[in-house]
Amino acid sequence: MAEDKAETQAFTPGPGYRQFKGRDEFPSNILHGTLACTIWIGSMHFNVSLLLFSFLFLPFSKFLLVVGVLLIFVVLPIDHNSKFGLRLARYICQHMSSYFPATLHVEDINDFHPDRAYVLGYAPHSVLPIGVVTLAERTGFMPLPKLKCLTSSPVFYTPFLRHIWTWLGASPATRKNFCSLLEAGYTCIVVPGGVQETFLMRHDSEVAFLKSRRGFVRIAIEKGCPLVPVFAFGQSHAFKWWKPRSKFLLQLSRAIKFVPMLFWGAFGTPIPYQHPMNVVVGKPIYVKRNPQPTTEEVLEVHGQFVKALQDLFERHKGRVGYADQSLKIL
């Protein structure tokens, strides 16, 4: 037992270890970084601000016109291969990676093959899981040519946001879509804790809501895709936040698929603080494909994933500057 504990307290880079520093890979400046963050994150605030301004300061007929225009953008078809959209996505990914700056650590790059699909289990969710930018296809750090990040469905009903996030590689987090993507050879980034993890997050420690989240494990087994633990250090410092704690808020959050809360970044804006982020990718957990896994089989693999994530956190927290931080797996 003592050996296991010691083994998880430090990571010694091997020949397959790779480190990608956003600021070295993509030279940028504060203006480009701020603009990239504004486009990606600020677009959700733009809709609310536009509606409030129109309602308060424009004639009611003009307000209805604004609502109509926004509704058009809700149903406007998205060109997934738009040259403008893909250029914009690449701009956002590269300049955001440099902005924080964000660093991606891959324990063994040789464990990943471009012709195979993986399920990347990402934690924590925090206010927003913005560290996924280091894993995005448009960033290009991972040797995986087909990548999607499964995202809460309200995003795809939000004007402007749905276009931007789709170009960035986001896709609806439904079982049907998840299975279809894996079958098509896409590696999927999943944030298992989701809304509940955001509701449970704390200021004094990291929280991963995992113990009852087994659906992503079952799908990985059904499709025979390796599970990969991923942890983002420093992401929780990108924003300051406040939220009430109540059962009603939790129920409301589950119903609307996001947590109503106050959060702010630099100068009280939605632009995140420039706090270094270190996203660590562990080793794959290989599973035997079984289209109808038993509960016992799912529980066994789920237990392996939870332990792998905890060990990943313990192995790397000291070397990336969080030696005193703890991770609570709920």
Side-chain angles (χ1 to χ4, degrees):
M1 189 74 174
E3 288 183 3
D4 290 343
K5 186 176 180 181
E7 188 177 341
T8 60
Q9 287 180 340
F11 170 73
T12 302
Y17 171 75
R18 293 292 185 276
Q19 176 178 279
F20 302 92
K21 294 184 176 182
R23 192 160 287 176
D24 292 345
E25 299 286 337
F26 310 117
S28 183
N29 58 48
I30 188 66
L31 292 177
H32 282 293
T34 301
L35 179 59
C37 293
T38 301
I39 296 171
W40 187 27
I41 301 167
S43 53
M44 65 181 74
H45 296 77
F46 172 76
N47 291 303
V48 176
S49 301
L50 180 61
L51 285 171
L52 283 176
F53 176 85
S54 302
F55 180 74
L56 294 174
F57 298 106
L58 295 180
F60 189 69
S61 59
K62 295 292 193 299
F63 168 70
L64 292 178
L65 179 62
V66 170
V67 172
V69 171
L70 291 178
L71 288 176
I72 289 174
F73 277 95
V74 170
V75 298
L76 191 68
I78 302 172
D79 180 1
H80 292 251
N81 298 313
S82 163
K83 290 183 179 179
F84 166 77
L86 298 181
R87 282 200 302 268
L88 179 64
R90 190 175 296 110
Y91 176 88
I92 292 171
C93 288
Q94 294 181 353
H95 287 286
M96 282 191 68
S97 293
S98 179
Y99 172 81
F100 292 102
T103 302
L104 180 69
H105 307 261
V106 185
E107 287 196 331
D108 193 342
I109 200 78
N110 299 317
D111 284 332
F112 298 93
H113 305 282
D115 57 349
R116 186 164 196 175
Y118 300 81
V119 176
L120 306 185
Y122 182 101
H125 188 286
S126 307
V127 173
L128 290 170
I130 51 181
V132 297
V133 69
T134 61
L135 302 168
E137 182 180 331
R138 302 301 162 197
T139 306
F141 290 159
M142 292 294 288
L144 302 171
K146 298 172 72 175
L147 269 165
K148 292 290 183 182
C149 181
L150 300 188
T151 309
S152 182
S153 54
V155 166
F156 302 97
Y157 297 97
T158 306
F160 308 116
L161 197 66
R162 60 191 289 266
H163 285 79
I164 294 169
W165 285 32
T166 296
W167 290 327
L168 285 165
S171 194
T174 64
R175 176 183 172 83
K176 181 180 179 181
N177 188 51
F178 191 2
C179 293
S180 296
L181 288 170
L182 292 177
E183 289 170 356
Y186 281 90
T187 287
C188 292
I189 305 167
V190 184
V191 188
V195 168
Q196 186 126 352
E197 193 166 278
T198 302
F199 178 80
L200 294 169
M201 66 182 180
R202 302 162 56 103
H203 288 103
D204 60 347
S205 66
E206 295 286 11
V207 171
F209 184 72
L210 274 177
K211 290 185 178 178
S212 63
R213 295 298 172 99
R214 306 186 187 104
F216 74 105
V217 175
R218 179 177 292 277
I219 292 174
I221 296 172
E222 289 176 0
K223 303 304 174 184
C225 297
L227 281 158
V228 184
V230 180
F231 194 89
F233 292 92
Q235 177 182 267
S236 298
H237 299 284
F239 296 102
K240 293 181 180 179
W241 53 268
W242 176 87
K243 58 180 174 60
R245 296 180 64 86
S246 68
K247 289 184 178 180
F248 171 75
L249 181 64
L250 177 58
Q251 292 170 350
L252 177 63
S253 301
R254 286 174 173 170
I256 62 178
K257 307 295 186 183
F258 68 91
V259 180
M261 61 183 295
L262 296 176
F263 70 91
W264 60 94
F267 306 107
T269 71
I271 308 303
Y273 292 104
Q274 281 188 286
H275 190 95
M277 278 194 290
N278 289 271
V279 180
V280 185
V281 179
K283 292 179 174 293
I285 301 168
Y286 293 95
V287 299
K288 183 178 180 180
R289 181 168 186 170
N290 182 355
Q292 295 182 316
T294 63
T295 300
E296 290 73 19
E297 187 178 358
V298 173
L299 286 173
E300 180 183 353
V301 176
H302 179 265
Q304 292 175 16
F305 178 83
V306 171
K307 184 178 186 303
L309 183 69
Q310 181 76 66
D311 289 349
L312 184 72
F313 176 85
E314 296 296 335
R315 280 199 305 275
H316 289 272
K317 67 178 187 179
R319 63 191 300 270
V320 297
Y322 294 91
D324 297 327
Q325 194 169 65
S326 61
L327 170 63
K328 298 181 185 297
I329 296 182
L330 306 176

